[in-house]
């Protein structure tokens, strides 16, 4: 196990013990440590640590690398494929948690909950400080990426009486229509159409810095958006300028280009942004589910079975 954010490794050890496998956690989050201590591992568990070609080339026995999470951007999948090492993830956990967190950030920003909380604690009791606060019913909410999480967000947003617009080139018109989502054909069109939106897309070459000076210029001055997907989807320098100049109403980010952010962190000084520390995935239950599902993929691979979520099938 290259790295961990968890308080112990009991869940992983419990699953691996079923096949007599032992878990070793790396003593350091460096490539050299991964190579020295993990070169002869049969499987590798990864949370946030980067596992690049240099490491993968040195894995003598490894059959599977499992990302304890959804994205696999921190693993060199091409290098693993070349070496016939399976790469897996856990895409089917925390769906409701991320959807809930997205809506929580959205409501806090639109209703100025976080902002007013700060003002009251600072001795100011003045509802007019919140202005403007739009009514939600009848507004247009955009979902960029209508996978499992995006669809859950759409359902929650519909409950507030908003009309849902979706951008997803991989879903059919019929599927979107059945979900009560109006298809928007292009990124440009959705940014100029909706009042609010949230991002639920993977990080690819096409989506990197999707939110930038150009796309921000298409948005309404009343636009508020949420990112609970991947930090690099947003160009933070361009967003900072748009927020300072009040070209959009605000934003909420649970993910950043660099985590944790390096000081000085300019966005943190603005009133029209909400920041949380990559927390959307988390609940007591989702953490247990994530860890158990990741370990089970290793059990499958080491007992001669195909993993459930095999990213680089060969």
């Amino acid at each position: 196990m290259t790295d961990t954010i968890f308080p112990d490794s009991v869940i992983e050890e419990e699953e691996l013990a079923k096949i007599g496998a032992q878990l070793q956690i790396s003593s350091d989050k460096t490539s050299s440590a991964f190579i020295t201590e993990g070169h002869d591992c049969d499987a590798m568990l990864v949370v946030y640590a980067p596992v690049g070609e240099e490491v993968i080339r040195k894995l003598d026995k490894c059959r599977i690398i499992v990302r304890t999470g959804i994205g696999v951007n921190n693993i060199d999948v091409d290098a693993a494929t070349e070496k016939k090492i399976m790469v897996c993830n856990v895409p089917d956990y925390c769906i409701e948690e991320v959807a809930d967190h997205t809506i929580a950030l959205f409501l806090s920003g639109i209703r100025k909950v976080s902002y007013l909380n700060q003002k009251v604690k600072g001795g100011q009791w003045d509802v007019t400080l919140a202005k403007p606060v739009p009514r939600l019913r009848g507004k247009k909410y955009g979902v960029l990426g209508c996978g499992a999480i995006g669809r859950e967000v759409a359902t929650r947003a519909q409950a507030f009486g908003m009309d849902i617009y979706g951008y997803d080139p991989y879903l059919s018109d019929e599927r979107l229509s059945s979900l009560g989502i109006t298809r928007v054909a292009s990124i440009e069109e959705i940014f100029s159409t909706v009042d609010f939106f949230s991002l639920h897309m993977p990080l690819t070459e096409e989506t990197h810095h999707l939110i930038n000076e150009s796309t921000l210029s298409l948005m309404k001055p009343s636009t508020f958006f949420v990112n609970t997907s991947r930090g690099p989807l947003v160009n933070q320098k361009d967003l900072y300028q748009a927020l300072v100049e009040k070209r959009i109403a605000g934003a909420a980010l649970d993910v950043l280009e660099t985590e944790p952010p390096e000081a000085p962190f300019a966005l943190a000084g603005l009133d029209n942004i909400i920041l949380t520390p990559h927390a959307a995935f988390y609940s007591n239950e989702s953490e247990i589910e994530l860890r158990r599902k990741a370990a089970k993929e290793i059990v499958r691979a080491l007992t001669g079975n195909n993993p459930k979520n095999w990213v680089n099938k060969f």
Side-chain angles (χ1 to χ4, degrees):
M1 192 171 190
T2 58
D3 61 314
T4 184
I5 57 171
F6 310 119
D8 55 48
S9 55
V10 172
I11 294 171
E12 294 84 357
E13 290 174 4
E14 182 179 281
E15 291 297 327
L16 295 172
K18 295 175 182 178
I19 58 169
Q22 295 180 331
L23 180 70
Q24 177 184 346
I25 300 176
S26 177
S27 62
D28 194 12
K29 299 177 184 179
T30 63
S31 294
S32 59
F34 302 157
I35 293 169
T36 301
E37 299 169 14
H39 68 92
D40 61 346
C41 69
D42 297 289
M44 182 174 279
L45 267 174
V46 182
V47 183
Y48 290 129
V51 177
E53 182 182 4
E54 176 190 8
V55 173
I56 291 171
R57 279 203 324 261
K58 299 291 185 180
L59 298 178
D60 301 327
K61 297 168 56 182
C62 188
R63 285 187 251 172
I64 183 171
I65 299 173
V66 178
R67 167 82 216 289
T68 308
I70 297 176
V72 292
N73 303 94
N74 55 323
I75 299 170
D76 191 327
V77 178
D78 290 337
T81 304
E82 187 175 328
K83 216 170 174 193
K84 298 300 181 184
I85 298 174
M86 294 179 283
V87 176
C88 300
N89 63 345
V90 186
D92 54 350
Y93 91 107
C94 80
I95 292 168
E96 293 184 342
E97 283 84 358
V98 176
D100 290 344
H101 199 81
T102 299
I103 294 298
L105 289 174
F106 168 68
L107 291 175
S108 183
I110 287 297
R111 296 293 309 171
K112 308 291 176 65
V113 175
S114 181
Y115 175 73
L116 288 173
N117 174 58
Q118 294 174 7
K119 293 303 180 184
V120 171
K121 288 182 176 180
Q124 291 181 272
W125 185 272
D126 184 357
V127 66
T128 64
L129 294 173
K131 292 182 178 180
V133 178
R135 175 177 288 174
L136 297 184
R137 183 166 297 278
K139 295 296 191 299
K140 298 174 181 177
Y141 189 100
V143 178
L144 277 71
C146 299
I149 293 172
R151 295 195 294 269
E152 288 289 331
V153 169
T155 298
R156 287 156 174 74
Q158 285 165 338
F160 293 96
M162 290 185 284
D163 299 320
I164 311 302
Y165 291 74
Y167 174 79
D168 194 316
Y170 303 104
L171 285 187
S172 66
D173 291 345
E174 292 76 19
R175 179 61 174 141
L176 288 176
S177 179
S178 71
L179 297 166
I181 300 174
T182 300
R183 176 184 292 282
V184 178
S186 69
I187 290 289
E188 292 76 16
E189 183 182 352
I190 199 165
F191 287 142
S192 61
T193 298
V194 301
D195 300 292
F196 325 114
F197 68 88
S198 50
L199 298 167
H200 308 286
M201 308 172 84
L203 176 60
T204 65
E205 290 183 10
E206 291 75 22
T207 62
H208 182 263
H209 282 183
L210 177 67
I211 307 301
N212 56 47
E213 177 63 32
S214 176
T215 53
L216 285 161
S217 69
L218 301 173
M219 300 176 196
K220 303 175 183 179
S222 56
T223 296
F224 186 95
F225 79 86
V226 179
N227 186 16
T228 51
S229 51
R230 289 290 176 263
L233 267 61
V234 178
N235 183 320
Q236 290 176 191
K237 291 182 179 179
D238 289 354
L239 174 61
Y240 175 82
Q241 284 304 125
L243 292 173
V244 167
E245 297 168 11
K246 304 292 177 69
R247 286 187 275 123
I248 65 170
L253 307 179
D254 180 58
V255 287
L256 301 172
E257 292 193 77
T258 301
E259 296 178 0
E262 299 174 354
F265 183 41
L267 284 171
L270 303 181
D271 287 333
N272 52 349
I273 190 167
I274 299 172
L275 302 164
T276 54
H278 204 139
F281 78 95
Y282 183 76
S283 73
N284 299 333
E285 293 82 1
S286 71
E287 180 185 302
I288 294 170
E289 180 184 16
L290 168 64
R291 296 168 62 186
R292 198 171 297 284
K293 284 185 172 181
K296 282 180 180 292
E297 290 287 52
I298 290 176
V299 171
R300 291 188 186 99
L302 298 188
T303 53
N305 298 300
N306 286 338
K308 181 179 177 182
N309 297 297
W310 186 356
V311 174
N312 62 334
K313 286 187 178 180
F314 44 75

